[in-house]
Amino acid sequence: MDAIGLGPVLYVFGVLLSVLAVFMVVPAILDIIDGHDDWLGFVVAMALTLFVGMALALANMERPIRLGRREAFLLTTVVWVCFSVFAALPFMLSELRLSFTDAFFEAMSGFTTTGSTVLVGLDAMPRGILIWRALLQWMGGIGMIVIAVAAMPVLKVGGMQLFRTESSDRSDKVFARVADFAVSLVVVYVGLTAICAVLYWIGGMTPFEAIAHSMTTLSTGGYSTSDGSIGHFTNPIVHWTGTVFMLAGGLPFVLYIRAVRGATWALPHDSQVRALVVFLCVVIVGMTLWLAYGRGMPFAEALRLVAFNVVSITTTTGYATTDYGLWGPAAQGIFFFLLFVGGCSGSTAGGIKIFRFQILGKAAWAHLHALVLPHAVAHTAYDGRPVAEDVIRAVATFAFVFVGSVVALSLLLFANGLDFVTSLSGAAQAVANVGPGLGDIIGPAGNYSSLPDVAKWGLAFGMLLGRLEFFTVLVLITSRFWRV
Amino acid sequence: MLGRRFIAIASIVAVAAAAGIAGPGRADGAETIAAPARSVQVIDGDSLQVGRRVLNLAGIDAPELGQLCDADGRAWPCGLDAARRIKKLLALQLGNLLCRIKTSDGMPEAAVCVVADSDLGAIQLTQGLAVATDDAPPTFRAIEDGAREAGLGIWSSRFVQPPSWRRGERLPMERDAVSTTGGWNHFPRTVFGVRLLPIPRTHYAGCVLRGMPAAGGRRVFLGPLDDGYAGIARGRANRAFCSDDEAERAGWLHIGQTAVAEGPRVPGH
């Protein structure tokens, strides 16, 4: 193997860091308009970020840019970690004066579109900080789609090679025409965000609130401009808009691009999309009936509340319209398991993701058949195509590492004296990039600021692992990766 | 979590017993008021205004609004955060807040407040945002011990016990004038009369409640969580208070007490 080409990695990283710096202009301008002193923090953070970004880019500029498999692994992890460090600067330099631990946690939670927050009193916060949080999630969301569509199938992370082989239009060609794809993706992403913002505005949000929330809805991030999250807004139009667009953020964005390009029925014909929608319908109908008839809530209200909160947790957004933790132990159990589900591959959502459940379910079924009829040839098929053994193995390994990470992180939280519900749900939500956990401390009505610093670092690492689908990060700690 | 209902009921019974509140079977003295949780005004981390009644959460004492905690050398506005966390909790509730209050002529009144089977005082203790008072039930002490052992909230910082703080004790950090604008103190703030950097504002020893005259000759006070506080803080205030207790003892009313309709009463509930 050749030595890792650090030059191209640093060059691309430098360019991306400069882009991040440019985005800091937005909150700075808002704070200047509002006459709030925080603009200075953003300008200083921007200058520092731009300086480092430009220096790295200029020092490593060479053509052509060659990014192999190992460089792609390294770049992805470096971008998510270092972006969080630089994005944390405004939180430390603003009137919030967060500690580095809290600022990094908030930034990592933003970039990974998790949505766990250490901030409280959002309603009274300057608009600069609020839009910065929204921008972090919005950037993290589109960044994840690019990685999931262009890089992960080639890197064969967690069975994502499935999307490399199944359709040439989604895989190698897309990777080869990454610029073309990126332009289409930006158009779709911005378009959906704009439609969502208009609907939020019609539902009674101010233009600022509508834009900030539409960014964190499409990116399935969940940062809000109010402590009451979406529950702060009482108009059902807002709740249903949120429900629809959180789901939109959890669907494969490649399919939107194909739909725009003429394949109108690409979305409903996709087996992952169908499975996610059917799953959501079953859970929503079941819980609505239970709330309506078991707890006496009016049916329309129960449907609205359940649909919003179930879609929010399943798509790993993390908004809340009410504290569903108070609906009783049965609801808590369901919401705990929903933390693991996630959206579709190639979306902004986290979690285990629907296609992995489909593959594992089919593989388990085939295995069962093989036990009954040992000599029969059993194939696992997905979307009408046979699934290679290495995909099944990769998916099973992914599921194992996912659960293993949740267990390890829970143990860390237990060791820090946190209770059972907080530890387990905190670990699961971090790895699945959801946002709120369960319980009084980190539930929908809680906050992560109470947690000790060690727990915050552990959770931030869990978010990174889950967002980059574990192996992108874990491969860096193997000695073979670095060996020439 | 599963024991929350038990803790809520147990704490109502225990506090009722400790404070001499009549049980549900006795109509004299026991009084429960209910109000939509989202309509409740939060004064600080352990005080609410339900209807026109200002209530202190029984069994807990949260840092006062202007109190700072020393989190590894960083001035953390723990009192304000404790209040905001209760406000956030109530903002996500769809049902009523039920407060069982002690009949008392003096202010402030102690109350056990429960929302959706959860005791607000217990939640504040669980999150490490308050300390248990001397007359708190054993369940509250156990919850406080759990939060302290896990280093949650204020227990991971240095802070003055709220009763001592009300008597005037302050951390060295609080005694120093604390700039709210960050670490820019060594930079020039103006050059040739043009302001480059924010002028530091001083955290004036934590007495952030503002008193002002209101219509009808009444005297009202506002805290940072009340609407209109920013405006009053700039000019019309003619009195500063370090705690809501101090303001109430001096005969000042919380701003909402003069304007908000009283919540429905449920006697003997």
Side-chain angles (χ1 to χ4, degrees):
Chain A
M1 275 193 294
D2 296 331
I4 290 177
L6 280 180
V9 171
L10 292 175
Y11 171 75
V12 177
F13 172 65
V15 171
L16 292 174
L17 201 57
S18 305
V19 173
L20 176 73
V22 171
F23 271 96
M24 290 182 188
V25 172
V26 178
I29 290 174
L30 264 183
D31 278 340
I32 288 172
I33 291 171
D34 293 348
H36 199 282
D37 292 337
D38 272 0
W39 67 269
L40 188 68
F42 282 105
V43 168
V44 171
M46 181 175 67
L48 196 64
T49 309
L50 195 61
F51 173 75
V52 175
M54 294 291 278
L56 284 173
L58 292 174
N60 295 285
M61 198 158 57
E62 55 184 74
R63 300 279 173 179
I65 303 162
R66 290 183 189 279
L67 280 175
R69 276 171 54 86
R70 288 190 300 164
E71 286 79 10
F73 277 123
L74 184 62
L75 177 64
T76 308
T77 307
V78 164
V79 164
W80 253 266
V81 174
C82 295
F83 265 41
S84 299
V85 172
F86 284 96
L89 292 175
F91 293 119
M92 299 166 70
L93 299 175
S94 71
E95 68 166 14
L96 299 173
R97 295 201 298 160
L98 293 188
S99 65
F100 179 64
T101 300
D102 281 356
F104 182 81
F105 180 93
E106 192 77 10
M108 179 61 88
S109 171
F111 262 125
T112 55
T113 75
T114 303
S116 307
T117 184
V118 293
L119 300 181
V120 67
L122 296 174
D123 305 72
M125 256 174 217
R127 293 198 299 173
I129 282 292
L130 295 176
I131 202 71
W132 181 235
R133 296 166 82 239
L135 278 169
L136 288 182
Q137 297 204 316
W138 199 64
M139 286 186 276
I142 195 167
M144 194 56 221
I145 300 169
V146 171
I147 297 292
V149 173
M152 281 187 173
V154 182
L155 300 178
K156 298 183 179 178
V157 171
M160 290 287 278
Q161 60 266 45
L162 188 69
F163 300 98
R164 188 189 187 198
T165 51
E166 72 160 353
S167 160
S168 60
D169 199 28
R170 291 193 203 175
S171 53
D172 280 348
K173 271 191 183 172
V174 169
F175 190 59
R177 292 184 284 111
V178 68
D180 178 35
F181 166 72
V183 170
S184 305
L185 176 63
V186 168
V187 170
V188 167
Y189 197 63
V190 172
L192 284 172
T193 308
I195 297 168
C196 181
V198 169
L199 289 171
Y200 274 147
W201 178 63
I202 292 171
M205 286 189 184
T206 65
F208 172 76
E209 288 167 340
I211 291 169
H213 280 99
S214 64
M215 284 178 169
T216 59
T217 304
L218 248 292
S219 61
T220 64
Y223 275 161
S224 177
T225 59
S226 167
D227 282 339
S229 189
I230 294 288
H232 176 71
F233 307 95
T234 50
N235 192 330
I237 294 175
V238 168
H239 297 178
W240 284 113
T241 301
T243 307
V244 169
F245 281 88
M246 284 188 289
L247 180 60
L251 300 182
F253 274 70
V254 170
L255 296 184
Y256 293 122
I257 296 172
R258 294 175 75 195
V260 169
R261 288 179 177 174
T264 318
W265 299 102
L267 275 165
H269 283 166
D270 187 81
S271 100
Q272 240 194 135
V273 174
R274 284 204 303 265
L276 177 63
V277 171
V278 168
F279 172 77
L280 285 172
C281 286
V282 169
V283 176
I284 289 169
V285 168
M287 284 193 79
T288 302
L289 291 175
W290 173 71
L291 267 189
Y293 297 106
R295 293 174 78 95
M297 193 182 281
F299 185 82
E301 188 187 354
L303 180 65
R304 179 165 52 86
L305 284 175
V306 169
F308 185 93
N309 290 293
V310 165
V311 170
S312 170
I313 296 302
T314 307
T315 61
T316 71
T317 308
Y319 283 143
T321 50
T322 183
D323 187 355
Y324 45 76
L326 303 178
W327 290 352
Q332 278 187 31
I334 291 170
F335 275 106
F336 175 74
F337 287 113
L338 288 180
L339 290 175
F340 290 84
V341 178
C344 301
S345 69
S347 72
T348 60
I352 291 178
K353 295 196 176 70
I354 294 296
F355 85 94
R356 296 201 175 93
F357 285 104
Q358 290 175 294
I359 299 276
L360 286 177
K362 286 168 190 282
W365 187 247
H367 182 67
L368 198 66
H369 272 266
L371 290 177
V372 178
L373 300 168
H375 301 296
V377 180
H379 285 296
T380 305
Y382 181 78
D383 254 356
R385 294 159 186 269
V387 179
E389 275 298 316
D390 70 317
V391 172
I392 297 172
R393 198 163 49 241
V395 169
T397 311
F398 178 93
F400 171 75
V401 173
F402 189 102
V403 174
S405 302
V406 172
V407 171
L409 195 47
S410 308
L411 289 174
L412 175 77
L413 300 182
F414 282 138
N416 275 279
L418 294 171
D419 64 273
F420 181 78
V421 172
T422 303
S423 300
L424 205 55
S425 67
Q429 71 74 25
V431 173
N433 301 125
V434 177
L438 293 168
D440 288 336
I441 301 172
I442 59 166
N447 188 280
Y448 286 81
S449 62
S450 294
L451 300 189
D453 282 358
V454 178
K456 286 176 194 157
W457 282 107
L459 289 171
F461 184 63
M463 292 174 203
L464 176 75
L465 274 183
R467 177 78 293 188
L468 300 184
E469 314 238 305
F470 307 101
F471 297 99
T472 316
V473 182
L474 294 178
V475 76
L476 300 184
I477 59 174
T478 62
S479 58
R480 275 187 81 100
F481 180 86
W482 299 99
R483 208 172 292 161
V484 177
Chain B
M1 287 298 296
L2 297 178
R4 280 212 299 219
R5 185 187 298 251
F6 169 77
I7 291 171
I9 294 168
S11 54
I12 284 179
V13 172
V15 172
I21 298 172
R26 290 167 55 192
D28 56 324
E31 183 187 7
T32 301
I33 58 173
R38 287 181 176 180
S39 74
V40 171
Q41 286 179 276
V42 176
I43 299 172
D44 65 15
D46 56 19
S47 315
L48 310 169
Q49 187 189 316
V50 187
R52 284 188 183 179
R53 304 280 278 275
V54 169
L55 308 172
N56 272 2
L57 295 176
I60 72 163
D61 200 352
E64 297 300 332
L65 274 175
Q67 192 169 346
L68 297 176
C69 293
D70 182 346
D72 290 330
R74 194 176 62 89
W76 168 40
C78 49
L80 194 55
D81 271 7
R84 285 170 168 165
R85 292 284 289 277
I86 260 199
K87 193 173 181 181
K88 178 177 182 177
L89 180 83
L90 294 173
L92 279 168
Q93 306 304 325
L94 301 175
N96 278 349
L97 177 78
L98 289 171
C99 289
R100 188 179 187 83
I101 59 177
K102 175 185 174 185
T103 306
S104 165
D105 296 331
M107 291 185 75
E109 297 170 307
V112 176
C113 292
V114 175
V115 63
D117 295 338
S118 291
D119 183 309
L120 287 190
I123 292 176
Q124 288 292 79
L125 288 173
T126 305
Q127 300 181 112
L129 294 173
V131 298
T133 54
D134 292 340
D135 59 351
T139 46
F140 275 27
R141 301 209 158 278
I143 297 171
E144 185 197 57
D145 289 345
R148 188 193 293 115
E149 281 164 22
L152 297 179
I154 57 175
W155 300 112
S156 63
S157 69
R158 287 201 312 126
F159 66 97
V160 175
Q161 287 286 334
S164 305
W165 198 90
R166 286 192 288 273
R167 288 193 293 271
E169 189 182 329
R170 297 288 186 273
L171 290 174
M173 171 183 281
E174 293 179 281
R175 290 213 176 278
D176 298 339
V178 178
S179 161
T180 58
T181 48
W184 307 100
N185 295 328
H186 305 297
F187 292 85
R189 295 182 180 278
T190 54
V191 174
F192 302 120
V194 178
R195 186 159 68 89
L196 292 181
L197 291 173
I199 304 300
R201 281 167 286 172
T202 305
H203 185 88
Y204 28 84
C207 299
V208 296
L209 292 166
R210 291 276 170 270
M212 66 176 214
R218 292 186 166 199
R219 298 180 302 172
V220 297
F221 70 92
L222 297 83
L225 268 63
D226 293 313
D227 291 336
Y229 175 79
I232 187 74
R234 272 199 291 272
R236 287 187 295 149
N238 56 11
R239 179 92 187 253
F241 298 104
C242 302
S243 72
D244 54 321
D245 290 0
E246 181 191 345
E248 285 154 359
R249 285 205 185 89
W252 294 63
L253 295 171
H254 184 239
I255 179 85
Q257 286 183 275
T258 58
V260 179
E262 199 162 354
R265 289 188 178 196
V266 191
H269 179 75

